[in-house]
Amino acid sequence: MFVVKAFDAISKESGRIAITEIVCNMLRTVIETTPDDLVAVVYLLANRIASAHEGLELGIGDASIIKALAEACGAKEAHVKKQYKELGDLGLVAKASRSSQPLMRKPEALTVAKVFDTFRLIAKESGKDSQDKKKNHIKALLVAATDCEPQYLIRLLQTKLRIGLAEQTLLTALGHASFYSLRHSSPPAKVENPLEEAAKIVKQVYSVIPVYDKIIPALLSAGVWNLTKACSFSPGIPVGPMLAKPTKGVHEIVEKFQDMEFTCEYKYDGERAQIHYLEDGSVEIYSRNAERNTGKFPDVVAAVTRLKKPPVTSFVLDCELVAYDREKQKIQPFQILSTRARKNVLLSEIKVNVCIYAFDILYLNGQQLLQEQLNVRRENLYKSFQEEVGFFQFATALTSNDLEEIQKFLEDAVNSSSEGLIIKTLNRDATYEPSKRSNNWLKLKKDYMESIGDSLDLVPIAAFHGRGKRTGVYGAFLLACYDNDKEEFQSICKIGTGFSEAMLEERSASLRSKVIPKPKSYYRYSDSLSPDVWFEPTEVWEVKAADLTISPVHRAAIGIVNPEKGISLRFPRLLRVREDKNPEQASSSDMVADMYNAQKHNQRDNLDDNEDD
Ligand code: ATP
């Protein structure tokens, strides 16, 4: 009850500081009274049941929840479905249909531990009858739920809690709470703002080891100031991959990295992979989102096992897996890779071969390398593996600060089917920064220079029916970016071009099953748009555009660049569907605002250049 009251309080606040405070107070209460519940409370707040790499999912659809809800409150399934259609939110249906049936015996009140344990039980049910068993677990929870508990139970089960609490805010609150409550040690003397520092430590540790089951016991026993020591990188658990910032040209790079040594690498267009090889010979492959991908790449498991040099007993590799034609000895486009099955791939049935392009090593023979500079990590990488064309290669690299040479290298990269370059600092400010979009990694794609810079990853939230030739499919879609602070999708443009007929059919068919009766409360758009259908946020589309403009209609980045107007894209074109991103990982409003500002800046530069002429 305490937890759902806090959910309620959080969802009524919109300011990040106020939300952090509520969550912090809540966590402090838990730490003081029932510290054993802290792991469960934090997971519930994050609306997860386990960390991503464990691959544990509830595995229930709306149908099971509707069944459980109907049974729990003695209603007909059809009635629940009808209400769902009307209210557009199963949580609200649950709230409205709180059982009016008298119970023989009042069930025991729900506790955090009970709810969380049941969630994990639900996830672990498998095999025959598992849907039925899952439904019965849900029903038992719903029968015991009181007040606003049913509403939040349902939202948690649908993994759509959406109370406006971003994970970074949760981590900040956890840092604050541990500063106030866990006085195991005092902050080091040089720390000026211990509250901020405590939050920073928790976030940093989470980026290296994103597992609450490990961090929270360590926090409780060692305190926040010793957390980094108590809870560090551990092979077998994926760290958040380091990310790159976009740049628009070789000039900008040379400017940014003045007086620094840097190296340029081909930017391969495949799938990011973090490969963990443990002392016992076991191998796991993790995706950009820390999901376990091992079943998709048995050939990669075989290749690293075969091509590691004899003294190597354990490692964590950061690399790109790229589709490769071994006969022609050529890299193949990303689209080919995406045709590979996702699970239980058999070595004997592989049609699309991949080559591992290794660019970093984070751990070797029991030693962590994250704090080492890139030149040291690279030396370790080079000496640990045997290259074999088409199976395992090191990312092609050039170390130079000659503008022309870099330009030529960029062209070579593009000519050999890479997207461009990633430029990295080499021996100063060159440690591996987990989860960070770092200034020490810059990306340069050939086509940045001709347009607004990077492409955007956007979520289709609505569509307009097609007319004429496009009758029967959607004619245009409404796309949105994601505001991490407000946790809302903000409309950014309509898109109707750049689709082949087949693509349009495919997207229409896939989204048709995602239609919802009315827009979500966390969609921001102008009423003047009035699309024909709204969608559940499910897909992420990579889109290119000619430029960004301030718009009275769209709501992207509203309040950042202009207090009342948003930003929209002109001439958007669909490039591809991003299977590896979920909607919350779409381009953020901050990034849209940055791109807009950068464009303004560039236009001004161009103007200045022209004036000089
Ligand atoms: P995001 O930055 O959000 O991940 P994205 O997935 O579109 O966006 P980019 O930022 O365009 O990726 O580029 C970074 C990605 O490039 C890495 O995640 C990695 O998958 C890939 N990549 C290819 N070659 C390299 C390389 N040599 N070094 C680092 N990353 C590389």
Side-chain angles (χ1 to χ4, degrees), residues 100-141:
S100 48
Q101 280 200 322
L103 292 167
M104 302 286 282
R105 185 172 57 84
K106 198 169 175 300
E108 273 176 41
L110 288 178
T111 60
V112 164
K114 167 86 183 146
V115 171
F116 189 61
D117 290 349
T118 311
F119 282 3
R120 284 199 171 169
L121 269 180
I122 293 174
K124 285 181 185 147
E125 293 292 2
S126 66
K128 212 167 103 278
D129 302 334
S130 65
Q131 282 305 319
D132 224 33
K133 287 186 195 149
K134 287 179 191 222
K135 183 207 70 191
N136 288 337
H137 288 307
I138 301 172
K139 184 175 145 193
L141 289 177

mmCIF file of all heavy atoms in Angstrom, residues 100-141:
data_model
loop_
_atom_site.group_PDB
_atom_site.id
_atom_site.type_symbol
_atom_site.label_atom_id
_atom_site.label_comp_id
_atom_site.label_asym_id
_atom_site.label_seq_id
_atom_site.Cartn_x
_atom_site.Cartn_y
_atom_site.Cartn_z
ATOM 1 N N SER A 100 -16.833 -6.172 -6.092
ATOM 2 C CA SER A 100 -17.965 -5.886 -5.223
ATOM 3 C C SER A 100 -18.457 -7.193 -4.610
ATOM 4 O O SER A 100 -19.378 -7.237 -3.828
ATOM 5 C CB SER A 100 -19.075 -5.219 -6.033
ATOM 6 O OG SER A 100 -19.269 -5.953 -7.209
ATOM 7 N N GLN A 101 -17.795 -8.284 -5.025
ATOM 8 C CA GLN A 101 -18.203 -9.591 -4.513
ATOM 9 C C GLN A 101 -17.778 -9.758 -3.055
ATOM 10 O O GLN A 101 -16.627 -9.505 -2.718
ATOM 11 C CB GLN A 101 -17.479 -10.675 -5.312
ATOM 12 C CG GLN A 101 -18.107 -10.944 -6.629
ATOM 13 C CD GLN A 101 -17.666 -12.303 -7.128
ATOM 14 O OE1 GLN A 101 -16.521 -12.693 -6.942
ATOM 15 N NE2 GLN A 101 -18.581 -13.009 -7.723
ATOM 16 N N PRO A 102 -18.666 -10.211 -2.218
ATOM 17 C CA PRO A 102 -18.236 -10.488 -0.850
ATOM 18 C C PRO A 102 -17.302 -11.694 -0.840
ATOM 19 O O PRO A 102 -17.490 -12.634 -1.603
ATOM 20 C CB PRO A 102 -19.551 -10.811 -0.127
ATOM 21 C CG PRO A 102 -20.495 -11.225 -1.204
ATOM 22 C CD PRO A 102 -20.073 -10.556 -2.462
ATOM 23 N N LEU A 103 -16.245 -11.633 -0.072
ATOM 24 C CA LEU A 103 -15.312 -12.754 -0.030
ATOM 25 C C LEU A 103 -15.549 -13.572 1.228
ATOM 26 O O LEU A 103 -15.913 -13.040 2.271
ATOM 27 C CB LEU A 103 -13.879 -12.230 -0.022
ATOM 28 C CG LEU A 103 -13.438 -11.544 -1.313
ATOM 29 C CD1 LEU A 103 -12.142 -10.791 -1.095
ATOM 30 C CD2 LEU A 103 -13.261 -12.581 -2.414
ATOM 31 N N MET A 104 -15.352 -14.880 1.107
ATOM 32 C CA MET A 104 -15.542 -15.765 2.252
ATOM 33 C C MET A 104 -14.564 -15.372 3.361
ATOM 34 O O MET A 104 -14.886 -15.294 4.521
ATOM 35 C CB MET A 104 -15.243 -17.218 1.853
ATOM 36 C CG MET A 104 -16.078 -17.725 0.711
ATOM 37 S SD MET A 104 -17.748 -18.040 1.237
ATOM 38 C CE MET A 104 -17.499 -19.605 2.062
ATOM 39 N N ARG A 105 -13.355 -15.152 2.913
ATOM 40 C CA ARG A 105 -12.318 -14.857 3.894
ATOM 41 C C ARG A 105 -11.493 -13.718 3.298
ATOM 42 O O ARG A 105 -11.124 -13.758 2.130
ATOM 43 C CB ARG A 105 -11.438 -16.095 4.041
ATOM 44 C CG ARG A 105 -10.392 -16.001 5.113
ATOM 45 C CD ARG A 105 -9.738 -17.372 5.277
ATOM 46 N NE ARG A 105 -9.162 -17.856 4.019
ATOM 47 C CZ ARG A 105 -7.953 -17.523 3.569
ATOM 48 N NH1 ARG A 105 -7.179 -16.731 4.257
ATOM 49 N NH2 ARG A 105 -7.504 -18.003 2.424
ATOM 50 N N LYS A 106 -11.248 -12.719 4.108
ATOM 51 C CA LYS A 106 -10.502 -11.594 3.568
ATOM 52 C C LYS A 106 -9.046 -12.027 3.348
ATOM 53 O O LYS A 106 -8.394 -12.495 4.280
ATOM 54 C CB LYS A 106 -10.552 -10.446 4.571
ATOM 55 C CG LYS A 106 -10.197 -9.114 3.985
ATOM 56 C CD LYS A 106 -10.548 -8.021 4.978
ATOM 57 C CE LYS A 106 -10.113 -6.661 4.498
ATOM 58 N NZ LYS A 106 -8.698 -6.508 4.274
ATOM 59 N N PRO A 107 -8.530 -11.918 2.124
ATOM 60 C CA PRO A 107 -7.150 -12.358 1.917
ATOM 61 C C PRO A 107 -6.186 -11.433 2.669
ATOM 62 O O PRO A 107 -6.539 -10.296 2.978
ATOM 63 C CB PRO A 107 -6.959 -12.215 0.413
ATOM 64 C CG PRO A 107 -8.229 -11.740 -0.148
ATOM 65 C CD PRO A 107 -9.138 -11.337 0.938
ATOM 66 N N GLU A 108 -5.001 -11.979 2.899
ATOM 67 C CA GLU A 108 -4.001 -11.158 3.586
ATOM 68 C C GLU A 108 -3.616 -9.973 2.718
ATOM 69 O O GLU A 108 -3.589 -10.074 1.493
ATOM 70 C CB GLU A 108 -2.749 -12.000 3.824
ATOM 71 C CG GLU A 108 -2.824 -12.778 5.112
ATOM 72 C CD GLU A 108 -1.610 -13.668 5.271
ATOM 73 O OE1 GLU A 108 -0.498 -13.214 4.952
ATOM 74 O OE2 GLU A 108 -1.804 -14.808 5.707
ATOM 75 N N ALA A 109 -3.275 -8.860 3.376
ATOM 76 C CA ALA A 109 -2.910 -7.666 2.619
ATOM 77 C C ALA A 109 -1.650 -7.955 1.800
ATOM 78 O O ALA A 109 -0.806 -8.757 2.198
ATOM 79 C CB ALA A 109 -2.651 -6.522 3.588
ATOM 80 N N LEU A 110 -1.549 -7.320 0.637
ATOM 81 C CA LEU A 110 -0.380 -7.528 -0.217
ATOM 82 C C LEU A 110 0.852 -6.862 0.383
ATOM 83 O O LEU A 110 0.760 -5.761 0.926
ATOM 84 C CB LEU A 110 -0.635 -6.915 -1.592
ATOM 85 C CG LEU A 110 -1.630 -7.633 -2.486
ATOM 86 C CD1 LEU A 110 -1.801 -6.862 -3.793
ATOM 87 C CD2 LEU A 110 -1.157 -9.052 -2.782
ATOM 88 N N THR A 111 1.975 -7.527 0.274
ATOM 89 C CA THR A 111 3.228 -6.888 0.677
ATOM 90 C C THR A 111 4.108 -6.762 -0.559
ATOM 91 O O THR A 111 3.888 -7.455 -1.566
ATOM 92 C CB THR A 111 3.995 -7.749 1.697
ATOM 93 O OG1 THR A 111 4.286 -9.004 1.071
ATOM 94 C CG2 THR A 111 3.200 -7.969 2.965
ATOM 95 N N VAL A 112 5.098 -5.898 -0.457
ATOM 96 C CA VAL A 112 6.016 -5.715 -1.575
ATOM 97 C C VAL A 112 6.667 -7.045 -1.943
ATOM 98 O O VAL A 112 6.733 -7.436 -3.109
ATOM 99 C CB VAL A 112 7.106 -4.697 -1.174
ATOM 100 C CG1 VAL A 112 8.268 -4.761 -2.124
ATOM 101 C CG2 VAL A 112 6.526 -3.308 -1.145
ATOM 102 N N ALA A 113 7.111 -7.758 -0.919
ATOM 103 C CA ALA A 113 7.811 -9.017 -1.177
ATOM 104 C C ALA A 113 6.889 -10.003 -1.882
ATOM 105 O O ALA A 113 7.280 -10.678 -2.836
ATOM 106 C CB ALA A 113 8.308 -9.600 0.140
ATOM 107 N N LYS A 114 5.647 -10.051 -1.423
ATOM 108 C CA LYS A 114 4.688 -10.996 -2.007
ATOM 109 C C LYS A 114 4.470 -10.664 -3.497
ATOM 110 O O LYS A 114 4.490 -11.548 -4.359
ATOM 111 C CB LYS A 114 3.372 -10.874 -1.215
ATOM 112 C CG LYS A 114 2.176 -11.517 -1.839
ATOM 113 C CD LYS A 114 2.098 -12.959 -1.461
ATOM 114 C CE LYS A 114 0.914 -13.600 -2.155
ATOM 115 N NZ LYS A 114 1.088 -14.937 -2.534
ATOM 116 N N VAL A 115 4.254 -9.373 -3.770
ATOM 117 C CA VAL A 115 3.990 -8.967 -5.157
ATOM 118 C C VAL A 115 5.206 -9.280 -6.041
ATOM 119 O O VAL A 115 5.082 -9.907 -7.093
ATOM 120 C CB VAL A 115 3.662 -7.453 -5.228
ATOM 121 C CG1 VAL A 115 3.608 -6.971 -6.671
ATOM 122 C CG2 VAL A 115 2.348 -7.167 -4.520
ATOM 123 N N PHE A 116 6.367 -8.891 -5.556
ATOM 124 C CA PHE A 116 7.568 -9.065 -6.369
ATOM 125 C C PHE A 116 7.885 -10.552 -6.584
ATOM 126 O O PHE A 116 8.188 -10.974 -7.697
ATOM 127 C CB PHE A 116 8.740 -8.342 -5.710
ATOM 128 C CG PHE A 116 9.947 -8.289 -6.579
ATOM 129 C CD1 PHE A 116 9.900 -7.638 -7.806
ATOM 130 C CD2 PHE A 116 11.122 -8.903 -6.200
ATOM 131 C CE1 PHE A 116 11.003 -7.599 -8.638
ATOM 132 C CE2 PHE A 116 12.236 -8.873 -7.026
ATOM 133 C CZ PHE A 116 12.175 -8.217 -8.239
ATOM 134 N N ASP A 117 7.763 -11.337 -5.511
ATOM 135 C CA ASP A 117 8.018 -12.781 -5.648
ATOM 136 C C ASP A 117 7.036 -13.402 -6.639
ATOM 137 O O ASP A 117 7.400 -14.269 -7.445
ATOM 138 C CB ASP A 117 7.901 -13.491 -4.293
ATOM 139 C CG ASP A 117 9.050 -13.109 -3.369
ATOM 140 O OD1 ASP A 117 10.010 -12.489 -3.872
ATOM 141 O OD2 ASP A 117 8.971 -13.391 -2.156
ATOM 142 N N THR A 118 5.772 -12.955 -6.565
ATOM 143 C CA THR A 118 4.782 -13.507 -7.500
ATOM 144 C C THR A 118 5.130 -13.126 -8.941
ATOM 145 O O THR A 118 5.007 -13.944 -9.854
ATOM 146 C CB THR A 118 3.363 -13.015 -7.149
ATOM 147 O OG1 THR A 118 3.136 -13.213 -5.771
ATOM 148 C CG2 THR A 118 2.307 -13.735 -7.965
ATOM 149 N N PHE A 119 5.599 -11.896 -9.142
ATOM 150 C CA PHE A 119 6.001 -11.483 -10.495
ATOM 151 C C PHE A 119 7.091 -12.422 -11.022
ATOM 152 O O PHE A 119 7.068 -12.854 -12.166
ATOM 153 C CB PHE A 119 6.529 -10.042 -10.497
ATOM 154 C CG PHE A 119 5.447 -8.995 -10.456
ATOM 155 C CD1 PHE A 119 4.102 -9.343 -10.359
ATOM 156 C CD2 PHE A 119 5.772 -7.638 -10.523
ATOM 157 C CE1 PHE A 119 3.110 -8.369 -10.321
ATOM 158 C CE2 PHE A 119 4.788 -6.664 -10.493
ATOM 159 C CZ PHE A 119 3.455 -7.028 -10.385
ATOM 160 N N ARG A 120 8.071 -12.723 -10.167
ATOM 161 C CA ARG A 120 9.158 -13.598 -10.639
ATOM 162 C C ARG A 120 8.644 -15.022 -10.887
ATOM 163 O O ARG A 120 9.080 -15.679 -11.823
ATOM 164 C CB ARG A 120 10.332 -13.597 -9.655
ATOM 165 C CG ARG A 120 11.150 -12.315 -9.771
ATOM 166 C CD ARG A 120 12.544 -12.429 -9.191
ATOM 167 N NE ARG A 120 13.329 -11.228 -9.531
ATOM 168 C CZ ARG A 120 14.501 -10.929 -8.995
ATOM 169 N NH1 ARG A 120 15.052 -11.727 -8.106
ATOM 170 N NH2 ARG A 120 15.145 -9.832 -9.350
ATOM 171 N N LEU A 121 7.696 -15.438 -10.044
ATOM 172 C CA LEU A 121 7.083 -16.754 -10.267
ATOM 173 C C LEU A 121 6.381 -16.791 -11.621
ATOM 174 O O LEU A 121 6.502 -17.751 -12.389
ATOM 175 C CB LEU A 121 6.026 -17.028 -9.191
ATOM 176 C CG LEU A 121 6.453 -17.753 -7.922
ATOM 177 C CD1 LEU A 121 5.257 -17.916 -6.985
ATOM 178 C CD2 LEU A 121 7.002 -19.131 -8.303
ATOM 179 N N ILE A 122 5.631 -15.718 -11.896
ATOM 180 C CA ILE A 122 4.911 -15.637 -13.179
ATOM 181 C C ILE A 122 5.904 -15.777 -14.329
ATOM 182 O O ILE A 122 5.691 -16.523 -15.280
ATOM 183 C CB ILE A 122 4.146 -14.296 -13.289
ATOM 184 C CG1 ILE A 122 3.010 -14.246 -12.271
ATOM 185 C CG2 ILE A 122 3.624 -14.072 -14.708
ATOM 186 C CD1 ILE A 122 2.270 -12.911 -12.199
ATOM 187 N N ALA A 123 7.021 -15.069 -14.213
ATOM 188 C CA ALA A 123 8.014 -15.091 -15.292
ATOM 189 C C ALA A 123 8.601 -16.483 -15.479
ATOM 190 O O ALA A 123 8.973 -16.869 -16.583
ATOM 191 C CB ALA A 123 9.117 -14.089 -14.994
ATOM 192 N N LYS A 124 8.700 -17.225 -14.387
ATOM 193 C CA LYS A 124 9.377 -18.528 -14.480
ATOM 194 C C LYS A 124 8.453 -19.663 -14.897
ATOM 195 O O LYS A 124 8.929 -20.749 -15.226
ATOM 196 C CB LYS A 124 10.045 -18.854 -13.142
ATOM 197 C CG LYS A 124 11.312 -18.029 -12.963
ATOM 198 C CD LYS A 124 12.015 -18.328 -11.668
ATOM 199 C CE LYS A 124 13.198 -17.384 -11.491
ATOM 200 N NZ LYS A 124 13.437 -17.046 -10.100
ATOM 201 N N GLU A 125 7.139 -19.436 -14.876
ATOM 202 C CA GLU A 125 6.220 -20.491 -15.320
ATOM 203 C C GLU A 125 6.490 -20.783 -16.787
ATOM 204 O O GLU A 125 6.590 -19.869 -17.595
ATOM 205 C CB GLU A 125 4.756 -20.039 -15.187
ATOM 206 C CG GLU A 125 4.252 -19.832 -13.766
ATOM 207 C CD GLU A 125 4.138 -21.119 -12.969
ATOM 208 O OE1 GLU A 125 4.492 -22.192 -13.503
ATOM 209 O OE2 GLU A 125 3.738 -21.046 -11.795
ATOM 210 N N SER A 126 6.625 -22.056 -17.118
ATOM 211 C CA SER A 126 6.812 -22.347 -18.544
ATOM 212 C C SER A 126 6.131 -23.671 -18.879
ATOM 213 O O SER A 126 5.668 -24.383 -17.993
ATOM 214 C CB SER A 126 8.305 -22.416 -18.871
ATOM 215 O OG SER A 126 8.854 -23.518 -18.194
ATOM 216 N N GLY A 127 6.086 -23.950 -20.154
ATOM 217 C CA GLY A 127 5.522 -25.223 -20.602
ATOM 218 C C GLY A 127 4.009 -25.209 -20.657
ATOM 219 O O GLY A 127 3.372 -24.154 -20.655
ATOM 220 N N LYS A 128 3.478 -26.442 -20.694
ATOM 221 C CA LYS A 128 2.033 -26.613 -20.825
ATOM 222 C C LYS A 128 1.325 -25.915 -19.654
ATOM 223 O O LYS A 128 1.842 -25.884 -18.555
ATOM 224 C CB LYS A 128 1.740 -28.123 -20.802
ATOM 225 C CG LYS A 128 0.532 -28.498 -21.648
ATOM 226 C CD LYS A 128 0.481 -30.006 -21.838
ATOM 227 C CE LYS A 128 -0.491 -30.646 -21.002
ATOM 228 N NZ LYS A 128 -0.939 -31.131 -20.002
ATOM 229 N N ASP A 129 0.185 -25.375 -19.890
ATOM 230 C CA ASP A 129 -0.627 -24.739 -18.843
ATOM 231 C C ASP A 129 0.001 -23.491 -18.235
ATOM 232 O O ASP A 129 -0.494 -22.976 -17.251
ATOM 233 C CB ASP A 129 -0.904 -25.686 -17.656
ATOM 234 C CG ASP A 129 -1.601 -26.939 -18.099
ATOM 235 O OD1 ASP A 129 -2.284 -26.870 -19.134
ATOM 236 O OD2 ASP A 129 -1.450 -27.968 -17.420
ATOM 237 N N SER A 130 1.139 -23.047 -18.786
ATOM 238 C CA SER A 130 1.786 -21.934 -18.093
ATOM 239 C C SER A 130 0.918 -20.675 -18.131
ATOM 240 O O SER A 130 0.872 -19.926 -17.162
ATOM 241 C CB SER A 130 3.176 -21.670 -18.667
ATOM 242 O OG SER A 130 3.061 -21.247 -19.997
ATOM 243 N N GLN A 131 0.194 -20.467 -19.246
ATOM 244 C CA GLN A 131 -0.652 -19.264 -19.313
ATOM 245 C C GLN A 131 -1.727 -19.306 -18.224
ATOM 246 O O GLN A 131 -2.039 -18.304 -17.596
ATOM 247 C CB GLN A 131 -1.304 -19.117 -20.703
ATOM 248 C CG GLN A 131 -0.383 -18.566 -21.778
ATOM 249 C CD GLN A 131 0.264 -17.222 -21.413
ATOM 250 O OE1 GLN A 131 -0.385 -16.347 -20.843
ATOM 251 N NE2 GLN A 131 1.541 -17.066 -21.712
ATOM 252 N N ASP A 132 -2.232 -20.510 -18.023
ATOM 253 C CA ASP A 132 -3.268 -20.671 -17.001
ATOM 254 C C ASP A 132 -2.705 -20.406 -15.602
ATOM 255 O O ASP A 132 -3.322 -19.733 -14.785
ATOM 256 C CB ASP A 132 -3.802 -22.105 -17.081
ATOM 257 C CG ASP A 132 -5.307 -22.115 -16.986
ATOM 258 O OD1 ASP A 132 -5.911 -21.137 -17.483
ATOM 259 O OD2 ASP A 132 -5.854 -23.066 -16.403
ATOM 260 N N LYS A 133 -1.515 -20.935 -15.378
ATOM 261 C CA LYS A 133 -0.884 -20.733 -14.068
ATOM 262 C C LYS A 133 -0.584 -19.253 -13.852
ATOM 263 O O LYS A 133 -0.797 -18.717 -12.772
ATOM 264 C CB LYS A 133 0.416 -21.543 -13.972
ATOM 265 C CG LYS A 133 0.177 -23.031 -13.816
ATOM 266 C CD LYS A 133 1.503 -23.720 -13.577
ATOM 267 C CE LYS A 133 1.383 -25.208 -13.769
ATOM 268 N NZ LYS A 133 2.610 -25.816 -14.264
ATOM 269 N N LYS A 134 -0.082 -18.618 -14.899
ATOM 270 C CA LYS A 134 0.218 -17.189 -14.791
ATOM 271 C C LYS A 134 -1.049 -16.422 -14.440
ATOM 272 O O LYS A 134 -1.066 -15.555 -13.572
ATOM 273 C CB LYS A 134 0.791 -16.649 -16.106
ATOM 274 C CG LYS A 134 2.219 -17.090 -16.366
ATOM 275 C CD LYS A 134 2.745 -16.555 -17.685
ATOM 276 C CE LYS A 134 4.057 -17.226 -18.042
ATOM 277 N NZ LYS A 134 5.075 -16.389 -18.573
ATOM 278 N N LYS A 135 -2.123 -16.778 -15.150
ATOM 279 C CA LYS A 135 -3.398 -16.088 -14.916
ATOM 280 C C LYS A 135 -3.836 -16.261 -13.457
ATOM 281 O O LYS A 135 -4.297 -15.319 -12.821
ATOM 282 C CB LYS A 135 -4.464 -16.648 -15.864
ATOM 283 C CG LYS A 135 -5.785 -15.956 -15.759
ATOM 284 C CD LYS A 135 -6.928 -16.870 -16.151
ATOM 285 C CE LYS A 135 -7.127 -17.947 -15.104
ATOM 286 N NZ LYS A 135 -8.032 -19.019 -15.504
ATOM 287 N N ASN A 136 -3.656 -17.466 -12.919
ATOM 288 C CA ASN A 136 -4.071 -17.698 -11.534
ATOM 289 C C ASN A 136 -3.241 -16.892 -10.538
ATOM 290 O O ASN A 136 -3.765 -16.395 -9.548
ATOM 291 C CB ASN A 136 -4.004 -19.188 -11.199
ATOM 292 C CG ASN A 136 -5.131 -19.925 -11.906
ATOM 293 O OD1 ASN A 136 -6.159 -19.316 -12.256
ATOM 294 N ND2 ASN A 136 -4.941 -21.215 -12.158
ATOM 295 N N HIS A 137 -1.949 -16.746 -10.819
ATOM 296 C CA HIS A 137 -1.120 -15.894 -9.951
ATOM 297 C C HIS A 137 -1.651 -14.466 -9.959
ATOM 298 O O HIS A 137 -1.765 -13.816 -8.932
ATOM 299 C CB HIS A 137 0.333 -15.849 -10.454
ATOM 300 C CG HIS A 137 1.102 -17.122 -10.225
ATOM 301 N ND1 HIS A 137 1.191 -17.724 -8.996
ATOM 302 C CD2 HIS A 137 1.839 -17.888 -11.069
ATOM 303 C CE1 HIS A 137 1.950 -18.816 -9.100
ATOM 304 N NE2 HIS A 137 2.339 -18.936 -10.355
ATOM 305 N N ILE A 138 -1.970 -13.999 -11.171
ATOM 306 C CA ILE A 138 -2.445 -12.609 -11.290
ATOM 307 C C ILE A 138 -3.757 -12.451 -10.532
ATOM 308 O O ILE A 138 -3.973 -11.477 -9.803
ATOM 309 C CB ILE A 138 -2.652 -12.218 -12.774
ATOM 310 C CG1 ILE A 138 -1.347 -12.367 -13.552
ATOM 311 C CG2 ILE A 138 -3.176 -10.798 -12.899
ATOM 312 C CD1 ILE A 138 -1.494 -12.201 -15.051
ATOM 313 N N LYS A 139 -4.596 -13.436 -10.716
ATOM 314 C CA LYS A 139 -5.913 -13.373 -10.064
ATOM 315 C C LYS A 139 -5.742 -13.293 -8.539
ATOM 316 O O LYS A 139 -6.380 -12.469 -7.869
ATOM 317 C CB LYS A 139 -6.715 -14.620 -10.448
ATOM 318 C CG LYS A 139 -8.123 -14.620 -9.912
ATOM 319 C CD LYS A 139 -8.862 -15.823 -10.459
ATOM 320 C CE LYS A 139 -9.834 -16.365 -9.441
ATOM 321 N NZ LYS A 139 -10.332 -17.684 -9.805
ATOM 322 N N ALA A 140 -4.844 -14.118 -7.998
ATOM 323 C CA ALA A 140 -4.640 -14.124 -6.545
ATOM 324 C C ALA A 140 -4.186 -12.746 -6.072
ATOM 325 O O ALA A 140 -4.636 -12.257 -5.031
ATOM 326 C CB ALA A 140 -3.603 -15.179 -6.173
ATOM 327 N N LEU A 141 -3.327 -12.109 -6.848
ATOM 328 C CA LEU A 141 -2.870 -10.763 -6.462
ATOM 329 C C LEU A 141 -4.036 -9.785 -6.496
ATOM 330 O O LEU A 141 -4.237 -8.979 -5.589
ATOM 331 C CB LEU A 141 -1.772 -10.272 -7.410
ATOM 332 C CG LEU A 141 -0.403 -10.942 -7.321
ATOM 333 C CD1 LEU A 141 0.542 -10.375 -8.380
ATOM 334 C CD2 LEU A 141 0.224 -10.730 -5.932
#
